[in-house]
Amino acid sequence: MDLGVGVRVLIIAWTDLETALSAVARIRHFVTTTPQERDAAGNHVDPLWPTTGSVEFRDLSASYAETSSPILCNINLAIQPGEKIGICGRTGSGKSSLIATLFGLLYNRSGYVFIDGISIDTIPLSILRSNIIAIPQEPFFLGGSVRKNLTSWSSESSGQHVSDADMIDALGKVGLWEKLDLATPPGETGLDTSLDNIDAMFSQGERQLFCLGRAILQDGKIIVLDEATSR
Ligand SMILES: Nc1ncnc2c1ncn2[C@@H]1O[C@H](COP(=O)(O)OP(=O)(O)OP(=O)(O)O)[C@@H](O)[C@H]1O
Ligand SMILES: [Mg+2]
């Protein structure tokens, strides 16, 4: 190797190193300066929680920012296990915000939310969020296949395996399987269909039906539907 080649290799290695180091510095900055959610991580929770699914809002006031005025004021509501309730109110009245408090997404200014008699403040967020099934007002998709989108909530730690037959059954129940199956080339299954171009694939209402299918596959004591069939 002559000197010219040696210098060139050195310069390339040096610039690569600089690029890699600035990436590390950006990630470090992001990790150390991004505000973290409050979390009761580490608290022991009964692995069977919640066993019945009762929900109680007691004198709850909550806001979106720590210092802003509360969006929800002095809410008192007790929901018994197995009870189905509907919450009505004009647009902007706080229906979605009430649901968001169940997931620990708002700041509790005062009061409590109890699930099965345990204040959700004491439950680690990952456990809290994985135990409530939600169909949001705005359907969300991750890209990738139908299979991936139907089981995005499942992880090895959830211990819940979803079979192809269960997925097809859920899609059948919401009336989407036939459409997916017909659109699939021979040799593939509708579960492998890509949802990368969701606009061309499903209407707004069909996207909500897909989210309903996703919820059908989950096991849980509490399910919340935020205007899930509004379109
Ligand atoms: N992400 C947010 N950050 C700050 N404030 C918010 C946020 N989302 C909602 N709000 C405030 O909370 C109020 C209640 O909104 P929310 O979405 O809970 O109403 P809603 O009853 O679900 O309405 P809709 O029927 O239109 O879905 C809004 O008027 C707005 O001021
Ligand atoms: Mg809403």
Side-chain angles (χ1 to χ4, degrees):
M1 197 192 305
D2 65 26
L3 186 63
V5 173
V7 170
R8 212 174 66 207
V9 169
L10 181 68
I11 290 172
I12 291 172
W14 183 257
T15 36
D16 281 352
L17 179 70
E18 268 198 347
T19 312
L21 280 179
S22 56
V24 171
R26 273 201 301 277
I27 291 169
R28 189 171 177 278
H29 178 74
F30 179 73
V31 170
T32 50
T33 59
T34 307
Q36 302 287 312
E37 294 180 298
R38 65 99 205 148
D39 195 0
N43 271 11
H44 173 75
V45 182
D46 181 344
L48 296 177
W49 177 90
T51 48
T52 67
S54 69
V55 178
E56 184 188 353
F57 295 87
R58 194 183 297 168
D59 287 329
L60 180 79
S61 297
S63 59
Y64 274 93
E66 222 164 351
T67 48
S68 62
S69 50
I71 292 294
L72 301 169
C73 298
N74 302 106
I75 308 286
N76 282 289
L77 172 68
I79 304 164
Q80 303 307 320
E83 204 172 19
K84 295 187 186 74
I85 68 144
I87 295 175
C88 309
R90 56 163 292 165
T91 181
S93 58
K95 303 178 296 293
S96 299
S97 304
L98 188 70
I99 289 173
T101 58
L102 279 178
F103 292 87
L105 291 169
L106 270 68
Y107 288 92
N108 257 25
R109 305 300 290 276
S110 63
Y112 302 92
V113 181
F114 295 101
I115 295 181
D116 266 15
I118 297 181
S119 169
I120 60 171
D121 286 345
T122 63
I123 309 282
L125 289 173
S126 60
I127 297 180
L128 177 67
R129 291 173 184 169
S130 60
N131 274 289
I132 305 174
I133 304 168
I135 306 182
Q137 197 165 1
E138 293 298 327
F140 75 92
F141 289 86
L142 298 171
S145 65
V146 167
R147 188 195 308 278
K148 180 176 165 197
N149 274 279
L150 271 181
T151 56
S152 49
W153 48 269
S154 109
S155 64
E156 298 221 338
S157 59
S158 75
Q160 217 183 320
H161 172 73
V162 187
S163 69
D164 283 8
D166 288 344
M167 287 187 240
I168 292 169
D169 187 48
L171 288 170
K173 281 182 179 147
V174 296
L176 289 178
W177 175 247
E178 204 176 323
K179 173 182 173 137
L180 283 168
D181 205 29
L182 285 176
T184 311
E188 279 185 27
T189 142
L191 296 177
D192 295 316
T193 306
S194 166
L195 294 182
D196 285 345
N197 190 0
I198 191 79
D199 291 342
M201 195 75 193
F202 289 141
S203 71
Q204 186 67 19
E206 285 174 323
R207 283 176 229 179
Q208 291 188 314
L209 286 174
F210 190 95
C211 292
L212 200 56
R214 192 189 277 146
I216 289 173
L217 289 168
Q218 290 172 260
D219 241 356
K221 298 283 181 213
I222 301 169
I223 174 159
V224 286
L225 292 82
D226 193 358
E227 304 191 39
T229 54
S230 58
R231 312 272 168 163

